[in-house]
Amino acid sequence: MHIVLDDTAMAAASQGNVLASRLIHRAHAEADWFLYAPTCALVVADRAGPGTAEHLASLPGITVLDLDLSAALAVARQETWAAAHSQYAAQPTPDRPDGAIIATTAPNRWAGEPVRVLDLTP
């Protein structure tokens, strides 16, 4: 299972959201669960709640995704960097042929986008 945390999911995790906490636990405890934190979304989440980035980056079950050239080019075409980097990270890759699911507390943000969404709203 591959899951990308968008900025709203990261903020929710830092505020004790039970569903986000369960995802983090599973990614740490189960070998076939992977959580990704796109850098641009991590920055936005940290601006909303200072300390969020440092906390999430320190968790062993979360992989922070760098803004490499192809991601930067995809992000540059979009209005919001956090959502654009999250959507880019969820696209299929050779390692993730089915892509990843975006975990969010703002599922309406993703309406009409070509991504699968996991609603973390309690």
Side-chain angles (χ1 to χ4, degrees), residues 6-89:
D6 75 358
D7 57 300
T8 67
M10 292 180 204
S14 73
Q15 296 170 0
N17 178 292
V18 173
L19 298 173
S21 295
R22 286 181 187 165
L23 285 179
I24 292 167
H25 173 74
R26 287 192 88 164
H28 176 68
E30 297 185 33
D32 58 345
W33 279 72
F34 302 93
L35 282 184
Y36 304 98
T39 303
C40 292
L42 195 58
V43 168
V44 170
D46 196 69
R47 285 182 178 166
T52 299
E54 186 175 353
H55 173 71
L56 290 175
S58 71
L59 296 173
I62 296 180
T63 301
V64 176
L65 299 176
D66 294 331
L67 187 64
D68 59 15
L69 178 59
S70 56
L73 294 173
V75 166
R77 295 184 199 110
Q78 300 296 323
E79 189 171 317
T80 63
W81 287 23
H85 198 187
S86 298
Q87 183 172 345
Y88 174 80

